[in-house]
């Protein structure tokens, strides 16, 4: 609700910044392969005032009678989204590969609490399907502390499918639907609306020669709106819609007993528009595409120290035009960055990485931000 149109926040190097600060595939593989309680964090400087912050903690405890307790904390904050939640879950196996779960997020103000139900089916290790429904702010209207209320209550549906047919192959699909909501704010004569759809597809193969390759695609649609009745000079009704397509392909593996290489190619396509009900000439259309090749070379210097040297490129185009006036603004994109850093490894259960990025296309200002990340398996 804080900001409807986020497109002006993204400068020419924003998305390649996110790529350069992303965790290496080696880190992600260790995280995915472990079933132990674990914590990881990745923080990076986006500019003078904003920090990209990603952190996750997960815990699972097997209980008697086919029960399991799970806890997960997840945070992902950058300029486009600021997500933070923690979730407690109780899962019960019913037999024949079927399990059900009850989960939720309790909060101090009961109006902000979530509750949900899940169903999973895993008849064999090579096949798993699940469906979940979350009732967001489920008792907001009954236990609200303000005059605000939902005219259309929020809910999220999640569907997931995982296949591992053999020969190192793994295919995943996930669909998330944030159902349309309408939140009334009478004190401001305001109505906020929101809906979102996210689809993610992945295909990976782990090869016998210690290499892996993968291909992924994601689609994200979001619509938000603020309606003021009556509108005024300081309270303008605005709606925003965006669609984002992402494709990525990469390979990763050992060049030698001490060296590893990760190389990939990403592609981003964004289309968005913002419209103003009482000022139609102020509406804006946005369109942006980027190709993002990259490579990371990692070398084990000591059993407790691993260096990384990486290159990140981005080239494409950024367009903006008015809905009913003015011409189209074209901005070509060409960014080149060098990343360097080191991981301090504390055995198989922990590591801390310190990284920096350098802007190769702006010689007068080479420093382009630092990042610190850590991961611990308990």
């Amino acid at each position: 609700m804080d900001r409807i149109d986020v497109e002006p926040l993204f400068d020419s190097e924003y998305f390649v910044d996110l790529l350069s600060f992303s965790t290496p595939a080696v880190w992600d593989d260790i995280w995915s392969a472990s079933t132990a309680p674990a914590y990881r964090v990745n923080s990076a400087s986006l500019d003078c005032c904003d920090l990209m912050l990603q952190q996750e903690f997960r815990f699972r405890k097997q209980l008697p009678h086919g029960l399991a307790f799970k806890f997960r904390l997840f945070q992902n904050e950058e300029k486009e989204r600021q997500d933070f939640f923690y979730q407690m879950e109780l899962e019960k196996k019913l037999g024949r590969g079927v399990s059900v779960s009850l989960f939720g997020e309790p909060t101090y103000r009961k109006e902000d609490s979530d509750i949900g139900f899940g169903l999973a089916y895993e008849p064999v290790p090579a096949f798993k399907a699940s469906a979940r429904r979350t009732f967001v702010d489920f008792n907001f209207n009954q236990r609200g502390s303000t005059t605000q209320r939902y005219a259309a209550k929020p809910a999220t549906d999640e569907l997931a499918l995982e296949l591992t047919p053999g020969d190192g192959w793994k295919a995943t699909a996930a669909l998330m639907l944030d159902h349309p909501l309408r939140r009334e704010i009478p004190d401001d004569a305001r109505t906020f609306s929101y809906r979102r759809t996210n689809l993610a597809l992945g295909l990976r193969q782990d090869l016998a020669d210690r290499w892996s390759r993968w291909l992924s695609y994601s689609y994200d649609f979001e619509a938000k709106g603020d309606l003021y009745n009556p509108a005024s000079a300081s309270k303008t009704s605005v709606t925003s819609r965006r669609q984002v397509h992402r494709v990525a392909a990469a390979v990763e593996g050992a060049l030698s007993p001490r060296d590893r290489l990760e190389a990939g190619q990403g592609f981003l396509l964004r289309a968005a528009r913002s419209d103003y009900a009482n000022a139609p000439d102020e509406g804006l259309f946005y369109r942006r595409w980027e190709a993002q090749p990259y490579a990371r070379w990692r070398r084990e210097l000591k059993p407790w120290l691993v260096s990384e040297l990486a290159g990140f490129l981005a080239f494409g185009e950024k367009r903006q035009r008015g809905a009913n006036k003015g011409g189209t603004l074209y901005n070509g994109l060409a960014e080149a960055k060098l990343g360097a850093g080191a991981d301090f490894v504390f055995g198989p259960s922990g590591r801390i990485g310190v990284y920096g990025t350098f802007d190769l296309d702006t010689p007068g200002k080479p420093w382009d931000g630092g990042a610190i990340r850590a991961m611990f398996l308990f």
Side-chain angles (χ1 to χ4, degrees):
M1 293 175 60
D2 296 333
R3 186 177 183 113
I4 304 301
D5 182 6
V6 298
E7 298 299 318
L9 300 178
F10 310 140
D11 59 22
S12 61
E13 60 182 26
Y14 178 73
F15 294 106
V16 73
D17 279 345
L18 296 184
L19 175 63
S20 66
F21 291 135
S22 63
T23 53
V26 171
W27 284 56
D28 292 335
D29 289 345
I30 294 173
W31 177 268
S32 300
S34 174
T35 58
Y39 171 77
R40 63 178 175 176
V41 61
N42 182 20
S43 60
S45 175
L46 295 176
D47 53 32
C48 69
C49 308
D50 293 315
L51 185 74
M52 183 193 80
L53 180 58
Q54 301 168 334
Q55 64 173 333
E56 185 174 3
F57 174 76
R58 68 183 186 201
F59 172 83
R60 178 188 174 98
K61 176 66 174 178
Q62 197 65 42
L63 304 174
H65 312 297
L67 291 171
F69 174 78
K70 301 177 183 179
F71 177 83
R72 184 186 181 216
L73 179 146
F74 178 84
Q75 184 177 15
N76 183 19
E77 298 200 33
E78 29 91 357
K79 293 190 177 184
E80 184 168 11
R81 302 190 64 84
Q82 292 85 45
D83 295 327
F84 180 84
F85 68 84
Y86 54 91
Q87 194 172 82
M88 292 181 283
E89 180 173 347
L90 190 64
E91 182 184 64
K92 168 65 175 177
K93 292 188 180 298
L94 302 180
R96 297 183 180 274
V98 178
S99 61
V100 294
S101 58
L102 171 68
F103 55 88
E105 181 180 6
T107 59
Y108 169 69
R109 291 192 179 276
K110 297 179 181 180
E111 65 193 51
D112 297 323
S113 298
D114 303 342
I115 194 169
F117 305 92
L119 176 67
Y121 180 55
E122 190 176 4
V124 293
F127 178 90
K128 182 178 182 180
S130 63
R132 296 163 72 91
R133 160 63 70 94
T134 304
F135 298 91
V136 182
D137 302 346
F138 70 97
N139 56 12
F140 188 92
N141 288 359
Q142 291 75 30
R143 300 180 183 274
S145 60
T146 67
T147 60
Q148 298 183 28
R149 62 180 290 108
Y150 285 113
K153 293 186 176 181
T156 298
D157 286 335
E158 297 172 88
L159 304 175
L161 179 65
E162 183 177 301
L163 302 174
T164 52
D167 293 329
W169 286 100
K170 181 178 181 180
T172 58
L175 176 67
M176 185 191 74
L177 299 173
D178 281 343
H179 291 265
L181 70 84
R182 292 179 63 87
R183 183 160 170 164
E184 307 286 352
I185 306 101
D187 294 346
D188 295 330
R190 175 189 180 196
T191 299
F192 173 76
S193 62
Y194 165 86
R195 65 186 178 99
R196 185 184 179 205
T197 301
N198 180 270
L199 172 68
L201 305 174
L203 183 64
R204 174 177 174 135
Q205 185 183 26
D206 295 319
L207 304 173
D209 58 357
R210 298 187 300 171
W211 283 78
S212 298
R213 56 184 179 180
W214 60 91
L215 174 68
S216 65
Y217 166 77
S218 68
Y219 168 76
D220 197 46
F221 169 84
E222 185 180 79
K224 294 192 294 184
D226 258 345
L227 174 64
Y228 289 94
N229 189 13
S232 65
S234 61
K235 296 180 178 181
T236 302
S237 296
V238 59
T239 60
S240 178
R241 298 162 64 92
R242 65 157 171 80
Q243 298 185 72
V244 183
H245 299 268
R246 294 178 183 270
V247 179
V251 296
E252 193 277 336
L255 296 173
S256 73
R258 298 175 58 190
D259 297 280
R260 300 188 70 88
L261 175 68
E262 177 187 346
Q265 171 71 62
F267 183 80
L268 165 74
L269 175 63
R270 295 180 65 95
R273 62 179 294 172
S274 293
D275 295 294
Y276 298 85
N278 56 335
D281 288 341
E282 301 300 322
L284 291 171
F285 291 84
Y286 306 93
R287 191 171 183 86
R288 178 173 184 156
W289 69 268
E290 279 188 41
Q292 300 173 332
Y294 76 96
R296 305 178 195 261
W297 170 45
R298 296 173 59 82
R299 182 173 178 83
E300 182 183 293
L301 304 176
K302 301 285 185 180
W304 52 270
L305 182 63
V306 177
S307 66
E308 177 176 302
L309 188 65
F312 305 92
L313 301 175
F315 55 90
E317 185 180 65
K318 180 181 178 182
R319 300 184 187 185
Q320 177 180 316
R321 68 178 178 87
N324 293 307
K325 67 176 184 179
T328 300
L329 298 177
Y330 294 87
N331 290 301
L333 301 175
E335 301 290 339
K337 296 183 183 296
L338 175 69
D343 293 347
F344 298 90
V345 182
F346 308 101
S349 60
R351 57 189 58 212
I352 296 175
V354 181
Y355 295 81
T357 58
F358 303 88
D359 209 336
L360 300 180
D361 55 272
T362 311
K365 185 180 176 296
W367 177 249
D368 203 39
I372 298 177
R373 61 181 67 112
M375 180 170 62
F376 300 100
L377 310 178
F378 302 102

